[in-house]
Structure formats: structure tokens, C-alpha cells
Amino acid sequence: MKKAIVFALVALLLNSTGVSLFAQTNSNPSEKDFTAAYDAQIRKTLATFPELPSIAIVIIKDDKPIFVHAYGMADMENGVKADT
């Protein structure tokens, strides 16, 4: 199980095409644009790895969290969503 989780996390980090799209432009994206693109990319990647029940992610910029989100289920049997 640990091997699958590590593989999925590495794949998620390497498959961040939504974020790299911003790196190719001259203008700086707003935090709202960044979080929307990153959220969409995470959801797409998680759909690729349905064996992952949940994941929590925080991105910090200038010592402040700019993206804090949890995806999936903390308890699938009881329908409890993951939280941050």
C-alpha cells in the first residue's frame, strides 16, 4: 500500500501540467487562477488513481498557505469526507 501511495504522489507531482502552463506565460497568474488550475489538475490525477481514498495538500507562498484542500473520503464506509 505504501508503494502505491508513494507512486501516486510522485505521479501527482510530475503530472502538474496545469501549473507548468502558468510557467510558460509572461504574466503572473493570480492566486485564484493558480488554485483553480491546480485543483482541476489534482482532481484529474486522482481520477487516474482510484485506489487512493484521500489526499490533503497545502501550498505555501511567502510563509502563508495559498492552497489548502483535502480530496476524497476519510472513511468510505461511513461516507465521511477528508478534511484539512
Side-chain angles (χ1 to χ4, degrees):
M1 180 67 178
K2 281 186 178 181
K3 193 174 187 180
I5 291 172
V6 170
F7 175 76
L9 291 176
V10 170
L12 179 67
L13 292 173
L14 294 176
N15 194 22
S16 301
T17 57
V19 176
S20 65
L21 289 176
F22 286 126
Q24 296 173 2
T25 62
N26 290 334
S27 65
N28 290 332
S30 69
E31 286 183 16
K32 186 176 180 180
D33 292 338
F34 171 81
T35 57
Y38 201 69
D39 181 68
Q41 186 62 34
I42 293 168
R43 290 180 189 280
K44 179 181 170 185
T45 303
L46 285 175
T48 306
F49 299 99
E51 64 274 5
L52 284 177
S54 64
I55 188 170
I57 297 176
V58 61
I59 298 175
I60 298 172
K61 178 182 178 186
D62 299 328
D63 295 327
K64 296 179 184 177
I66 62 167
F67 185 86
V68 180
H69 206 287
Y71 301 85
M73 303 298 283
D75 184 353
M76 295 181 80
E77 291 178 6
N78 293 318
V80 178
K81 290 186 176 184
D83 63 11
T84 57

